[in-house]
Amino acid sequence: MSYLLRKDYVRYECTCGSFMSIAELYFCRHCLELRCGYCVCHEVDSHYCSNCMEHLPSAEARLKKNRCSTCFDCPNCFHPLSVRATMRSAEDGSSKSTPTKRYYLSCFFCRWTTRDVNIQDQTVAAGNWPVKENPYSELLTSYLEYYKMIAMTERSQKEKKTYGSLRKGYTSLTDKYGLTAMIARKRAGLPSLQLGGKDFNQSVLPTITPCTAVEDIKPLPESFYTEVPDLTKVTTLEQRHANPMLQTEVTSMLHPQHRHFYIKRSLRCRKCEHNVSKPEYNPGSIKFKIQLAAYYHMPEVRIMTFEPLVCGKPSEIILKVTNPTQHLTSLQFGDLVDKDEEDKRKVAPKEQMDEKKVQPILVPKLKRAVTTNTKVELPNCSVILPPRDDAAEYDDTGDTHNFQDDPKIVVWRKGNKAAIKFVIVPDAALLHSDEVIFGFSLEYGYVNTMPTLEQRQPQRTEMQVNVYITPGAVSAGLEN
């Protein structure tokens, strides 16, 4: 199932012009259009740790630098570290005669432990595990403070600008004395500006020394030329990039790092600003409050079987189409439709609208990057698919729907699924191992159950989408 969904055998054309599988598309019930990852706005709902399931709001996660304070990652294989306990006898000179329990971190995947880098065991399971600090932290902190001061300086200079003409009214006074900006920052939860207006002093800026080039470079040790390097003791690029502040060269200097936070995000349509996907806030739940995935609202096309593909010769291919909705739908197959021409025809009657109306920011449409190289003979009649019935999946008594199907077109039917036969003819100019690509326009009926101010009852709408199918490559030794 996952292989068929993730493989790009069948691709749908999104509204923006990109081509993706049905598992990567969303359907906006308000715009009645397909949306992909480029057509939606990504909003972060919460941050959580995938190991301990601790969830934090965005502001608190930013203070912790998007890292969990209790969980650690293995610096060798990047798997989460687990706390292991061991009994240790009383130390010399200690007044206690009973053994004590000590804890250390261990990786169950590569068997790396904190003892490999001489990190002392802790007396409590949730102890303060030492984290190696960046040796250049003070220098980086001074740079950050310097640029923050410069940003405050530029903002204070903008506030000192005098207005060319005197404006009267409450709005002008709030803009002049910064009340509007102050209220906006207070509502957003941001701190007030400390360096603004007369309180700013140029002497507050810290002094930093510029970096200078060094002519004397420390030479490499003699062992670098004489001894054979042991690659098992040298860190890889992934291990170095996992901790860019240190980037140790040998594995004996690797130290565990706090685990990164994961996020739960909601997706919002750029055109109507309605949510197409919104997960639950609880990090332990995989359910969604809103999940308008495309495979819940539009027919799904899959490749069932096909004959060997030969250049210039017809081959039969059978596609299985599934109706996932709770309403009966009718399918019609046609030639590919150019989205640009269709949009121009839709926009033509709306040109008289008010130009001052704020329009949403949409993703510019992409040019069609898929070129078909195969002719296809489409069915000349419509195919009716009944609504989805979960109980019918386990009913082997037979199909209760009596559809008068053409056996040359519909070769199999069960429940809300139907197998439809197509005839494709690959181009004679194709070579061996060239991919065969063909496409068609799928027209289907969709019942919109979303109530609006104008219509409270479900409305039926005719939808259209371009489908591109890549069954495979040309058979070996059979091309002309």
PDB file of all heavy atoms in Angstrom, residues 70-101:
ATOM      1  N   THR A  70      15.828  17.405  28.839  1.00  0.00           N
ATOM      2  CA  THR A  70      16.020  16.136  29.535  1.00  0.00           C
ATOM      3  C   THR A  70      16.516  15.014  28.628  1.00  0.00           C
ATOM      4  O   THR A  70      17.106  14.046  29.131  1.00  0.00           O
ATOM      5  CB  THR A  70      14.704  15.681  30.187  1.00  0.00           C
ATOM      6  OG1 THR A  70      13.690  15.569  29.188  1.00  0.00           O
ATOM      7  CG2 THR A  70      14.265  16.682  31.239  1.00  0.00           C
ATOM      8  N   CYS A  71      16.283  15.103  27.328  1.00  0.00           N
ATOM      9  CA  CYS A  71      16.650  14.015  26.412  1.00  0.00           C
ATOM     10  C   CYS A  71      17.906  14.382  25.632  1.00  0.00           C
ATOM     11  O   CYS A  71      18.147  15.555  25.341  1.00  0.00           O
ATOM     12  CB  CYS A  71      15.503  13.703  25.447  1.00  0.00           C
ATOM     13  SG  CYS A  71      13.970  13.236  26.274  1.00  0.00           S
ATOM     14  N   PHE A  72      18.679  13.333  25.280  1.00  0.00           N
ATOM     15  CA  PHE A  72      19.927  13.520  24.558  1.00  0.00           C
ATOM     16  C   PHE A  72      19.951  12.598  23.346  1.00  0.00           C
ATOM     17  O   PHE A  72      19.310  11.545  23.330  1.00  0.00           O
ATOM     18  CB  PHE A  72      21.135  13.222  25.457  1.00  0.00           C
ATOM     19  CG  PHE A  72      21.348  14.225  26.542  1.00  0.00           C
ATOM     20  CD1 PHE A  72      20.669  14.122  27.747  1.00  0.00           C
ATOM     21  CD2 PHE A  72      22.227  15.277  26.366  1.00  0.00           C
ATOM     22  CE1 PHE A  72      20.865  15.038  28.749  1.00  0.00           C
ATOM     23  CE2 PHE A  72      22.429  16.206  27.364  1.00  0.00           C
ATOM     24  CZ  PHE A  72      21.746  16.098  28.555  1.00  0.00           C
ATOM     25  N   ASP A  73      20.715  13.018  22.343  1.00  0.00           N
ATOM     26  CA  ASP A  73      20.942  12.215  21.146  1.00  0.00           C
ATOM     27  C   ASP A  73      22.341  11.631  21.179  1.00  0.00           C
ATOM     28  O   ASP A  73      23.285  12.257  21.672  1.00  0.00           O
ATOM     29  CB  ASP A  73      20.783  13.066  19.876  1.00  0.00           C
ATOM     30  CG  ASP A  73      19.329  13.243  19.501  1.00  0.00           C
ATOM     31  OD1 ASP A  73      18.501  12.433  19.949  1.00  0.00           O
ATOM     32  OD2 ASP A  73      19.017  14.195  18.768  1.00  0.00           O
ATOM     33  N   CYS A  74      22.446  10.435  20.623  1.00  0.00           N
ATOM     34  CA  CYS A  74      23.752   9.800  20.538  1.00  0.00           C
ATOM     35  C   CYS A  74      24.604  10.556  19.518  1.00  0.00           C
ATOM     36  O   CYS A  74      24.179  10.750  18.378  1.00  0.00           O
ATOM     37  CB  CYS A  74      23.592   8.338  20.129  1.00  0.00           C
ATOM     38  SG  CYS A  74      25.142   7.477  19.846  1.00  0.00           S
ATOM     39  N   PRO A  75      25.812  10.987  19.864  1.00  0.00           N
ATOM     40  CA  PRO A  75      26.647  11.711  18.901  1.00  0.00           C
ATOM     41  C   PRO A  75      27.232  10.816  17.818  1.00  0.00           C
ATOM     42  O   PRO A  75      27.758  11.317  16.826  1.00  0.00           O
ATOM     43  CB  PRO A  75      27.740  12.320  19.771  1.00  0.00           C
ATOM     44  CG  PRO A  75      27.857  11.383  20.922  1.00  0.00           C
ATOM     45  CD  PRO A  75      26.467  10.858  21.172  1.00  0.00           C
ATOM     46  N   ASN A  76      27.098   9.507  17.978  1.00  0.00           N
ATOM     47  CA  ASN A  76      27.672   8.581  17.020  1.00  0.00           C
ATOM     48  C   ASN A  76      26.665   8.172  15.937  1.00  0.00           C
ATOM     49  O   ASN A  76      26.973   8.192  14.748  1.00  0.00           O
ATOM     50  CB  ASN A  76      28.204   7.347  17.742  1.00  0.00           C
ATOM     51  CG  ASN A  76      29.006   6.442  16.834  1.00  0.00           C
ATOM     52  OD1 ASN A  76      29.645   6.904  15.888  1.00  0.00           O
ATOM     53  ND2 ASN A  76      28.986   5.147  17.104  1.00  0.00           N
ATOM     54  N   CYS A  77      25.437   7.803  16.344  1.00  0.00           N
ATOM     55  CA  CYS A  77      24.422   7.352  15.380  1.00  0.00           C
ATOM     56  C   CYS A  77      23.155   8.178  15.427  1.00  0.00           C
ATOM     57  O   CYS A  77      22.210   7.887  14.678  1.00  0.00           O
ATOM     58  CB  CYS A  77      24.085   5.883  15.626  1.00  0.00           C
ATOM     59  SG  CYS A  77      23.317   5.573  17.236  1.00  0.00           S
ATOM     60  N   PHE A  78      23.068   9.182  16.316  1.00  0.00           N
ATOM     61  CA  PHE A  78      21.960  10.147  16.396  1.00  0.00           C
ATOM     62  C   PHE A  78      20.655   9.520  16.879  1.00  0.00           C
ATOM     63  O   PHE A  78      19.592  10.094  16.668  1.00  0.00           O
ATOM     64  CB  PHE A  78      21.734  10.839  15.043  1.00  0.00           C
ATOM     65  CG  PHE A  78      23.003  11.321  14.400  1.00  0.00           C
ATOM     66  CD1 PHE A  78      23.422  10.812  13.190  1.00  0.00           C
ATOM     67  CD2 PHE A  78      23.789  12.280  15.010  1.00  0.00           C
ATOM     68  CE1 PHE A  78      24.586  11.243  12.593  1.00  0.00           C
ATOM     69  CE2 PHE A  78      24.956  12.726  14.435  1.00  0.00           C
ATOM     70  CZ  PHE A  78      25.361  12.204  13.216  1.00  0.00           C
ATOM     71  N   HIS A  79      20.699   8.359  17.517  1.00  0.00           N
ATOM     72  CA  HIS A  79      19.511   7.782  18.131  1.00  0.00           C
ATOM     73  C   HIS A  79      19.389   8.316  19.560  1.00  0.00           C
ATOM     74  O   HIS A  79      20.388   8.734  20.168  1.00  0.00           O
ATOM     75  CB  HIS A  79      19.599   6.252  18.146  1.00  0.00           C
ATOM     76  CG  HIS A  79      19.257   5.622  16.846  1.00  0.00           C
ATOM     77  ND1 HIS A  79      20.095   5.691  15.769  1.00  0.00           N
ATOM     78  CD2 HIS A  79      18.172   4.911  16.432  1.00  0.00           C
ATOM     79  CE1 HIS A  79      19.561   5.051  14.733  1.00  0.00           C
ATOM     80  NE2 HIS A  79      18.394   4.583  15.110  1.00  0.00           N
ATOM     81  N   PRO A  80      18.183   8.316  20.127  1.00  0.00           N
ATOM     82  CA  PRO A  80      18.038   8.825  21.504  1.00  0.00           C
ATOM     83  C   PRO A  80      18.757   7.953  22.508  1.00  0.00           C
ATOM     84  O   PRO A  80      18.759   6.717  22.408  1.00  0.00           O
ATOM     85  CB  PRO A  80      16.518   8.814  21.719  1.00  0.00           C
ATOM     86  CG  PRO A  80      15.981   7.863  20.711  1.00  0.00           C
ATOM     87  CD  PRO A  80      16.889   7.942  19.531  1.00  0.00           C
ATOM     88  N   LEU A  81      19.371   8.599  23.470  1.00  0.00           N
ATOM     89  CA  LEU A  81      20.090   7.899  24.527  1.00  0.00           C
ATOM     90  C   LEU A  81      19.135   7.525  25.656  1.00  0.00           C
ATOM     91  O   LEU A  81      18.189   8.253  25.957  1.00  0.00           O
ATOM     92  CB  LEU A  81      21.220   8.767  25.074  1.00  0.00           C
ATOM     93  CG  LEU A  81      22.359   9.090  24.096  1.00  0.00           C
ATOM     94  CD1 LEU A  81      23.342  10.044  24.748  1.00  0.00           C
ATOM     95  CD2 LEU A  81      23.065   7.824  23.639  1.00  0.00           C
ATOM     96  N   SER A  82      19.411   6.395  26.274  1.00  0.00           N
ATOM     97  CA  SER A  82      18.607   5.908  27.388  1.00  0.00           C
ATOM     98  C   SER A  82      19.451   5.892  28.656  1.00  0.00           C
ATOM     99  O   SER A  82      20.679   5.755  28.605  1.00  0.00           O
ATOM    100  CB  SER A  82      18.079   4.495  27.110  1.00  0.00           C
ATOM    101  OG  SER A  82      17.316   4.476  25.919  1.00  0.00           O
ATOM    102  N   VAL A  83      18.762   6.035  29.793  1.00  0.00           N
ATOM    103  CA  VAL A  83      19.439   6.059  31.094  1.00  0.00           C
ATOM    104  C   VAL A  83      19.577   4.628  31.596  1.00  0.00           C
ATOM    105  O   VAL A  83      18.597   3.881  31.656  1.00  0.00           O
ATOM    106  CB  VAL A  83      18.661   6.928  32.092  1.00  0.00           C
ATOM    107  CG1 VAL A  83      19.385   6.947  33.440  1.00  0.00           C
ATOM    108  CG2 VAL A  83      18.500   8.335  31.561  1.00  0.00           C
ATOM    109  N   ARG A  84      20.783   4.250  31.923  1.00  0.00           N
ATOM    110  CA  ARG A  84      21.077   2.923  32.476  1.00  0.00           C
ATOM    111  C   ARG A  84      21.582   3.089  33.905  1.00  0.00           C
ATOM    112  O   ARG A  84      22.308   4.048  34.223  1.00  0.00           O
ATOM    113  CB  ARG A  84      22.123   2.198  31.636  1.00  0.00           C
ATOM    114  CG  ARG A  84      21.701   1.954  30.197  1.00  0.00           C
ATOM    115  CD  ARG A  84      20.537   0.996  30.110  1.00  0.00           C
ATOM    116  NE  ARG A  84      20.838  -0.287  30.707  1.00  0.00           N
ATOM    117  CZ  ARG A  84      21.409  -1.290  30.055  1.00  0.00           C
ATOM    118  NH1 ARG A  84      21.746  -1.151  28.767  1.00  0.00           N
ATOM    119  NH2 ARG A  84      21.641  -2.435  30.661  1.00  0.00           N
ATOM    120  N   ALA A  85      21.207   2.130  34.760  1.00  0.00           N
ATOM    121  CA  ALA A  85      21.606   2.164  36.171  1.00  0.00           C
ATOM    122  C   ALA A  85      22.604   1.047  36.460  1.00  0.00           C
ATOM    123  O   ALA A  85      22.556  -0.027  35.849  1.00  0.00           O
ATOM    124  CB  ALA A  85      20.386   2.013  37.068  1.00  0.00           C
ATOM    125  N   THR A  86      23.497   1.304  37.391  1.00  0.00           N
ATOM    126  CA  THR A  86      24.497   0.323  37.815  1.00  0.00           C
ATOM    127  C   THR A  86      24.788   0.528  39.299  1.00  0.00           C
ATOM    128  O   THR A  86      24.628   1.646  39.827  1.00  0.00           O
ATOM    129  CB  THR A  86      25.789   0.474  36.999  1.00  0.00           C
ATOM    130  OG1 THR A  86      26.723  -0.520  37.405  1.00  0.00           O
ATOM    131  CG2 THR A  86      26.398   1.847  37.166  1.00  0.00           C
ATOM    132  N   MET A  87      25.180  -0.526  39.958  1.00  0.00           N
ATOM    133  CA  MET A  87      25.500  -0.468  41.379  1.00  0.00           C
ATOM    134  C   MET A  87      27.007  -0.318  41.532  1.00  0.00           C
ATOM    135  O   MET A  87      27.788  -1.052  40.914  1.00  0.00           O
ATOM    136  CB  MET A  87      25.039  -1.745  42.101  1.00  0.00           C
ATOM    137  CG  MET A  87      23.530  -1.995  42.015  1.00  0.00           C
ATOM    138  SD  MET A  87      22.551  -0.665  42.741  1.00  0.00           S
ATOM    139  CE  MET A  87      23.055  -0.817  44.446  1.00  0.00           C
ATOM    140  N   ARG A  88      27.394   0.623  42.353  1.00  0.00           N
ATOM    141  CA  ARG A  88      28.803   0.890  42.583  1.00  0.00           C
ATOM    142  C   ARG A  88      29.062   0.764  44.083  1.00  0.00           C
ATOM    143  O   ARG A  88      28.293   1.284  44.909  1.00  0.00           O
ATOM    144  CB  ARG A  88      29.178   2.278  42.087  1.00  0.00           C
ATOM    145  CG  ARG A  88      30.646   2.650  42.345  1.00  0.00           C
ATOM    146  CD  ARG A  88      30.968   4.002  41.780  1.00  0.00           C
ATOM    147  NE  ARG A  88      30.890   4.014  40.317  1.00  0.00           N
ATOM    148  CZ  ARG A  88      31.190   5.072  39.570  1.00  0.00           C
ATOM    149  NH1 ARG A  88      31.577   6.207  40.159  1.00  0.00           N
ATOM    150  NH2 ARG A  88      31.098   4.997  38.263  1.00  0.00           N
ATOM    151  N   SER A  89      30.173   0.130  44.421  1.00  0.00           N
ATOM    152  CA  SER A  89      30.544  -0.035  45.821  1.00  0.00           C
ATOM    153  C   SER A  89      30.984   1.295  46.401  1.00  0.00           C
ATOM    154  O   SER A  89      31.281   2.257  45.679  1.00  0.00           O
ATOM    155  CB  SER A  89      31.661  -1.081  45.954  1.00  0.00           C
ATOM    156  OG  SER A  89      32.788  -0.668  45.194  1.00  0.00           O
ATOM    157  N   ALA A  90      31.032   1.311  47.720  1.00  0.00           N
ATOM    158  CA  ALA A  90      31.394   2.546  48.406  1.00  0.00           C
ATOM    159  C   ALA A  90      32.824   2.930  48.084  1.00  0.00           C
ATOM    160  O   ALA A  90      33.716   2.078  47.992  1.00  0.00           O
ATOM    161  CB  ALA A  90      31.214   2.365  49.914  1.00  0.00           C
ATOM    162  N   GLU A  91      33.051   4.217  47.917  1.00  0.00           N
ATOM    163  CA  GLU A  91      34.374   4.709  47.569  1.00  0.00           C
ATOM    164  C   GLU A  91      35.269   4.730  48.807  1.00  0.00           C
ATOM    165  O   GLU A  91      34.802   4.707  49.950  1.00  0.00           O
ATOM    166  CB  GLU A  91      34.259   6.115  46.966  1.00  0.00           C
ATOM    167  CG  GLU A  91      33.444   6.134  45.678  1.00  0.00           C
ATOM    168  CD  GLU A  91      33.329   7.549  45.137  1.00  0.00           C
ATOM    169  OE1 GLU A  91      33.832   8.472  45.812  1.00  0.00           O
ATOM    170  OE2 GLU A  91      32.732   7.725  44.056  1.00  0.00           O
ATOM    171  N   ASP A  92      36.535   4.775  48.543  1.00  0.00           N
ATOM    172  CA  ASP A  92      37.502   4.800  49.648  1.00  0.00           C
ATOM    173  C   ASP A  92      37.366   6.109  50.409  1.00  0.00           C
ATOM    174  O   ASP A  92      37.327   7.189  49.827  1.00  0.00           O
ATOM    175  CB  ASP A  92      38.932   4.661  49.112  1.00  0.00           C
ATOM    176  CG  ASP A  92      39.123   3.318  48.429  1.00  0.00           C
ATOM    177  OD1 ASP A  92      38.346   2.393  48.724  1.00  0.00           O
ATOM    178  OD2 ASP A  92      40.050   3.230  47.569  1.00  0.00           O
ATOM    179  N   GLY A  93      37.332   6.003  51.739  1.00  0.00           N
ATOM    180  CA  GLY A  93      37.203   7.184  52.575  1.00  0.00           C
ATOM    181  C   GLY A  93      35.782   7.625  52.807  1.00  0.00           C
ATOM    182  O   GLY A  93      35.545   8.602  53.515  1.00  0.00           O
ATOM    183  N   SER A  94      34.803   6.916  52.237  1.00  0.00           N
ATOM    184  CA  SER A  94      33.414   7.291  52.413  1.00  0.00           C
ATOM    185  C   SER A  94      32.866   6.637  53.665  1.00  0.00           C
ATOM    186  O   SER A  94      33.215   5.503  54.008  1.00  0.00           O
ATOM    187  CB  SER A  94      32.584   6.871  51.200  1.00  0.00           C
ATOM    188  OG  SER A  94      31.225   7.182  51.407  1.00  0.00           O
ATOM    189  N   SER A  95      31.972   7.337  54.366  1.00  0.00           N
ATOM    190  CA  SER A  95      31.385   6.807  55.590  1.00  0.00           C
ATOM    191  C   SER A  95      30.300   5.772  55.313  1.00  0.00           C
ATOM    192  O   SER A  95      29.957   4.989  56.194  1.00  0.00           O
ATOM    193  CB  SER A  95      30.808   7.956  56.436  1.00  0.00           C
ATOM    194  OG  SER A  95      29.803   8.647  55.696  1.00  0.00           O
ATOM    195  N   LYS A  96      29.743   5.754  54.079  1.00  0.00           N
ATOM    196  CA  LYS A  96      28.693   4.809  53.731  1.00  0.00           C
ATOM    197  C   LYS A  96      29.316   3.475  53.347  1.00  0.00           C
ATOM    198  O   LYS A  96      30.267   3.414  52.582  1.00  0.00           O
ATOM    199  CB  LYS A  96      27.858   5.349  52.571  1.00  0.00           C
ATOM    200  CG  LYS A  96      27.111   6.632  52.924  1.00  0.00           C
ATOM    201  CD  LYS A  96      26.276   7.105  51.744  1.00  0.00           C
ATOM    202  CE  LYS A  96      25.525   8.380  52.077  1.00  0.00           C
ATOM    203  NZ  LYS A  96      24.698   8.848  50.943  1.00  0.00           N
ATOM    204  N   SER A  97      28.725   2.400  53.902  1.00  0.00           N
ATOM    205  CA  SER A  97      29.226   1.061  53.602  1.00  0.00           C
ATOM    206  C   SER A  97      28.392   0.352  52.545  1.00  0.00           C
ATOM    207  O   SER A  97      28.851  -0.627  51.949  1.00  0.00           O
ATOM    208  CB  SER A  97      29.247   0.211  54.886  1.00  0.00           C
ATOM    209  OG  SER A  97      27.934   0.124  55.423  1.00  0.00           O
ATOM    210  N   THR A  98      27.161   0.813  52.323  1.00  0.00           N
ATOM    211  CA  THR A  98      26.286   0.175  51.338  1.00  0.00           C
ATOM    212  C   THR A  98      26.611   0.711  49.942  1.00  0.00           C
ATOM    213  O   THR A  98      26.975   1.877  49.768  1.00  0.00           O
ATOM    214  CB  THR A  98      24.815   0.456  51.657  1.00  0.00           C
ATOM    215  OG1 THR A  98      24.605   1.875  51.665  1.00  0.00           O
ATOM    216  CG2 THR A  98      24.440  -0.116  53.018  1.00  0.00           C
ATOM    217  N   PRO A  99      26.473  -0.141  48.909  1.00  0.00           N
ATOM    218  CA  PRO A  99      26.727   0.342  47.542  1.00  0.00           C
ATOM    219  C   PRO A  99      25.649   1.319  47.095  1.00  0.00           C
ATOM    220  O   PRO A  99      24.491   1.242  47.528  1.00  0.00           O
ATOM    221  CB  PRO A  99      26.719  -0.943  46.718  1.00  0.00           C
ATOM    222  CG  PRO A  99      25.911  -1.907  47.520  1.00  0.00           C
ATOM    223  CD  PRO A  99      26.160  -1.567  48.956  1.00  0.00           C
ATOM    224  N   THR A 100      26.013   2.212  46.257  1.00  0.00           N
ATOM    225  CA  THR A 100      25.106   3.244  45.751  1.00  0.00           C
ATOM    226  C   THR A 100      24.804   2.973  44.273  1.00  0.00           C
ATOM    227  O   THR A 100      25.562   2.310  43.576  1.00  0.00           O
ATOM    228  CB  THR A 100      25.734   4.641  45.896  1.00  0.00           C
ATOM    229  OG1 THR A 100      26.981   4.666  45.190  1.00  0.00           O
ATOM    230  CG2 THR A 100      25.964   4.966  47.360  1.00  0.00           C
ATOM    231  N   LYS A 101      23.680   3.505  43.836  1.00  0.00           N
ATOM    232  CA  LYS A 101      23.260   3.337  42.447  1.00  0.00           C
ATOM    233  C   LYS A 101      23.700   4.558  41.654  1.00  0.00           C
ATOM    234  O   LYS A 101      23.447   5.705  42.049  1.00  0.00           O
ATOM    235  CB  LYS A 101      21.743   3.163  42.362  1.00  0.00           C
ATOM    236  CG  LYS A 101      21.226   2.892  40.964  1.00  0.00           C
ATOM    237  CD  LYS A 101      19.715   2.705  40.953  1.00  0.00           C
ATOM    238  CE  LYS A 101      19.350   1.368  41.599  1.00  0.00           C
ATOM    239  NZ  LYS A 101      17.883   1.097  41.423  1.00  0.00           N
TER     240      LYS A 101
END
